[in-house]
Amino acid sequence: MAASCYGMLSISSENEIKETAAAPPKPTPPPKPKVSTSFSDVLAFSGPGPERINGRLAMIGFVTAMGVELANGQDIFAQIQNGGVPLFLGTSVLLSLASLIPLFKGVTVESKSGQLMTSDAELWNGRFAMLGLVALAFTEFVKGGALV
C-alpha cells in the first residue's frame, strides 16, 4: 500500500488501484488560558471587573434617571437630593456583587456571549451610558432644570 497526502491507495487482487479517502487529521485546539480569580487581577485597571461594573451601573442609572425625569419632571440633581443616594448605593452594591461573584468563580463574560448579545456590545452600551449620564447632568446644569 502506498499513502498520499490526500488519501490511501490500495491495490486490489485484480491489480486495480483504488483510492480511499482518509480524513485529514484535525488540529488540536489551543488550550484555553487560565482565568485569574484573584481580587487584584479581577479589579485591576485593565481587569474584567471595573469597566463592566461601571457600564452596568451607568446603563441602569441612565434609564432610571430618564424614566424618573419623564414621570416626575425632576432633573438628575433633584432626584439625588430627594432620596437618590440610598437607592444608588443599594443598587451599586447589589450589582457589583452580582457582577463580581461569577468573575471570582472563573466564569468569563465572553464564555456567556451569544450571537446577538455579545460582551463587546455590553461594553459599548456601558460606555455610551456613561457618556449619556455625564451629558445629561451637564445639560441639566447648564439649562438649570430638567431636560424634558
Side-chain angles (χ1 to χ4, degrees):
M1 267 190 216
S4 70
C5 59
Y6 295 109
M8 298 290 293
L9 293 177
S10 62
I11 301 174
S12 68
S13 62
E14 299 154 356
N15 290 334
E16 294 178 354
I17 298 176
K18 296 181 182 178
E19 185 172 343
T20 58
K26 293 182 181 179
T28 58
K32 294 183 179 180
K34 179 109 171 101
V35 179
S36 175
T37 58
S38 73
F39 186 79
S40 60
D41 288 340
V42 168
L43 292 177
F45 185 74
S46 62
E51 186 178 7
R52 197 159 305 277
I53 292 170
N54 288 335
R56 289 173 180 172
L57 287 171
M59 287 185 269
I60 289 176
F62 183 76
V63 170
T64 304
M66 290 303 293
V68 171
E69 189 167 314
L70 289 171
N72 297 341
Q74 293 179 335
D75 65 357
I76 196 166
F77 300 109
Q79 293 175 32
I80 292 171
Q81 290 173 352
N82 294 334
V85 174
L87 291 173
F88 168 74
L89 292 176
T91 303
S92 297
V93 168
L94 182 68
L95 194 63
S96 296
L97 288 175
S99 297
L100 286 174
I101 290 171
L103 293 175
F104 286 133
K105 289 184 175 183
V107 177
T108 63
V109 179
E110 289 80 13
S111 69
K112 299 295 182 183
S113 291
Q115 292 180 351
L116 179 64
M117 309 273 289
T118 65
S119 62
D120 287 338
E122 181 188 17
L123 282 177
W124 280 105
N125 289 338
R127 291 169 183 162
F128 287 129
M130 288 182 235
L131 290 172
L133 265 176
V134 170
L136 178 66
F138 181 74
T139 304
E140 289 179 350
F141 176 75
V142 170
K143 186 178 174 187
L147 181 65
V148 182

